[in-house]
Amino acid sequence: MAEKPTSGEILGVPYNFERPSISRMLSAHWEPGEGMLVEKPFGIGYTLNLANWRSWIVLAVAGILLWQQEQSSASAAETETEDEPVEVIVDDE
């Protein structure tokens, strides 16, 4: 029976299912001279290259958006009050 390849590309998307090592995991996220996205050390697709300054901007924007979402949900929880009964008066003339 033919052995299946553990790494390669499918429709232009890289995959790698070789057993990961610590050095390969660390070096995959820090590749000076490479672009913002690099192949994942394990799994399917791409990951951020932390040696590229653009990756840090992406992480900062994601952090700001997450912080803003947490702040808005916290303020929405504070403004919610219990529903109290409302008295409605109808004038029949």
Side-chain angles (χ1 to χ4, degrees):
M1 187 143 119
E3 188 174 315
K4 295 180 182 179
T6 57
S7 64
E9 280 190 10
I10 295 178
L11 300 172
V13 179
Y15 68 90
N16 188 352
F17 294 113
E18 296 174 1
R19 186 180 181 118
S21 66
I22 297 294
S23 62
R24 194 173 87 200
M25 296 292 277
L26 294 176
S27 67
H29 293 285
W30 191 267
E31 293 187 24
E34 294 292 322
M36 184 174 85
L37 297 175
V38 292
E39 293 181 14
K40 279 187 165 186
F42 182 77
I44 300 171
Y46 297 95
T47 188
L48 289 175
N49 179 11
L50 297 177
N52 191 309
W53 62 272
R54 291 178 188 98
S55 298
W56 290 100
I57 292 175
V58 169
L59 289 174
V61 168
I64 290 168
L65 291 174
L66 181 63
W67 176 78
Q68 183 180 14
Q69 180 183 3
E70 292 295 323
Q71 293 298 317
S72 66
S73 65
S75 66
E78 289 175 2
T79 59
E80 285 183 13
T81 59
E82 292 183 24
D83 291 335
E84 297 178 10
V86 177
E87 184 177 344
V88 178
I89 299 174
V90 178
D91 188 21
D92 290 336
E93 287 187 27

